[in-house]
Amino acid sequence: MDLEFYMNEALKEANIAKDIGEVPIGAVVVLNNEIIGYGHNSVELSNHSFEHAEINAIKMAQDHIGDWRLTDCYLFSTLEPCIMCAGAIIQSRIKTLVYGAKDNKGGFAGSVLNIVGNNVFNHQVEVISGIKEEECKNIIVNFFKERRLK
């Protein structure tokens, strides 16, 4: 599997979020080398706190296959998931999480806590981090720099 290719697809979603004024995080769900779900943050647009990139991509993938279980799927996210998204990843039975940039303040796939790998849950997720890390980090850092200047 070409991890960089799919992270580029997640970065495209992050850029969509940035262009509409959302925090630029993007995600895609991949099954058998096919993107079956994609999403970007839409919290501001929807006024719903749960409209994160990962949740939106998971919902689309579940609708695509007609099942809540995404057992053979990879989820690519430009940023290490928050606790809510980490929970959704576990609940949907994602096989592998691939993320770009760490989130040392709110990341729950190893930075703050490793929720997705915690063996108290009935499902653990394989994690691959650091794919296109600089690009994923820069889109967020630059977004907040520009926002502070305004």
Side-chain angles (χ1 to χ4, degrees):
M1 176 176 287
D2 186 346
L3 302 180
E4 289 193 3
F5 172 81
Y6 293 111
M7 190 59 73
N8 279 332
E9 296 300 306
L11 278 162
K12 288 178 186 176
E13 289 295 315
N15 277 302
I16 292 169
K18 181 184 77 164
D19 291 345
I20 61 173
E22 296 280 349
V23 175
I25 300 170
V28 296
V29 176
V30 177
L31 177 62
N32 299 325
N33 293 311
E34 176 190 352
I35 295 173
I36 61 168
Y38 54 86
H40 55 270
N41 276 8
S42 55
V43 172
E44 300 296 331
L45 187 65
S46 69
N47 285 318
H48 295 290
S49 59
F50 52 83
E51 294 280 336
H52 287 198
E54 299 91 338
I55 301 287
N56 292 335
I58 288 169
K59 286 173 21 183
M60 182 182 284
Q62 290 168 331
D63 288 345
H64 180 82
I65 65 169
D67 195 349
W68 62 269
R69 293 173 195 88
L70 300 174
T71 53
D72 293 321
C73 293
Y74 284 67
L75 177 91
F76 289 78
S77 179
T78 57
L79 185 67
E80 181 180 359
C82 71
I83 193 166
M84 175 181 69
C85 293
I89 290 165
I90 293 167
Q91 292 299 319
S92 62
R93 309 301 194 262
I94 294 282
K95 176 184 174 184
T96 304
L97 165 66
V98 182
Y99 71 85
K102 289 187 178 294
D103 184 350
N104 293 320
K105 293 182 181 180
F108 284 83
S111 290
V112 174
L113 288 172
N114 186 5
I115 298 295
V116 298
N118 193 317
N119 63 7
V120 302
F121 301 114
N122 65 336
H123 179 74
Q124 291 81 44
V125 179
E126 175 187 12
V127 176
I128 302 169
S129 63
I131 304 302
K132 300 192 75 70
E133 183 173 12
E134 283 305 308
E135 287 178 57
C136 293
K137 179 181 166 185
N138 287 339
I139 193 170
I140 296 254
V141 168
N142 292 335
F143 175 82
F144 284 111
K145 276 183 187 176
E146 290 173 18
R147 191 174 251 192
R148 281 190 294 276
L149 289 174
K150 293 178 183 177

